[in-house]
Amino acid sequence: MTKKEEKKSIIEICPIRNVVARFGNKWALLVVFILNENGSTRFNQLARQIPDISTKVLSNTLQILEADGLVKRTVFPEVPIRVEYELTATGKSLVPIIISLTEWAQNNMQSIMEHRKKFESLS
C-alpha cells in the first residue's frame, strides 16, 4: 500500500474528517436547524429564510445532506413539480447537538471576541 492510499484510508475511517466535515460547512447546520423548525420545506422557502446563500450553494448543501442521510428529498408529480426537503431520523438526532453548540457559542461569544481583539492587537 502506498503512502497516498494509506492516508486516504485513515481519512475515510476518521469520523471527524469523514462525517463532521460534511455537515460542518458554513450553511449545513443552519439548513438542518431550519428544516427542524419548519418540517417539510420547499427549496424556495429555504432560500428565502437564508437570504445570503446562493441557490447553487443551497442546492449543493442539500445534496450533501441528502447523500449523508440527514435530509430526505421528496418529489411530487405535479405541474409544476413540487420538491420538499425534510430531516430524516439521523438528521433530527443532530439537532440537540446544534442547539448545544449554539448555546455554547452564545455563552462564550463575548470572551472569544475579547480574545480575538487582544490577539489582533499583539500582531
Side-chain angles (χ1 to χ4, degrees):
M1 185 182 290
T2 67
K3 283 190 176 190
K4 188 173 184 179
E5 289 172 332
E6 212 172 279
K7 285 183 182 179
K8 184 177 179 185
S9 65
I10 291 169
I11 290 169
E12 288 174 352
I13 63 171
C14 176
I16 298 297
R17 297 210 43 190
N18 192 348
V19 176
V20 176
R22 296 272 292 199
F23 64 76
N25 71 36
K26 183 176 180 179
W27 300 107
L29 294 180
L30 182 57
V31 169
V32 169
F33 191 76
I34 290 171
L35 287 175
N36 182 64
E37 285 186 343
N38 295 350
S40 188
T41 307
R42 295 178 78 166
F43 184 90
N44 287 336
Q45 289 174 292
L46 278 170
R48 280 192 297 274
Q49 290 188 293
I50 314 171
D52 46 345
I53 190 172
S54 71
T55 55
K56 180 180 179 181
V57 171
L58 178 56
S59 179
N60 288 342
T61 300
L62 287 165
Q63 286 177 352
I64 289 168
L65 293 171
E66 183 183 7
D68 286 351
L70 301 174
V71 167
K72 177 184 171 193
R73 179 179 183 262
T74 305
V75 179
F76 296 90
E78 301 172 353
V79 178
I81 291 176
R82 179 170 50 111
V83 179
E84 293 184 357
Y85 298 88
E86 62 185 315
L87 292 180
T88 63
T90 305
K92 289 177 184 175
S93 72
L94 181 58
V95 173
I97 297 165
I98 295 171
I99 291 169
S100 293
L101 182 59
T102 302
E103 289 171 354
W104 178 89
Q106 289 171 339
N107 292 335
N108 291 285
M109 187 64 172
Q110 183 176 353
S111 173
I112 290 170
M113 296 307 289
E114 289 170 4
H115 281 88
R116 284 182 187 172
K117 198 173 196 177
K118 194 181 298 182
F119 182 82
E120 289 171 2
S121 70
L122 296 174
S123 300

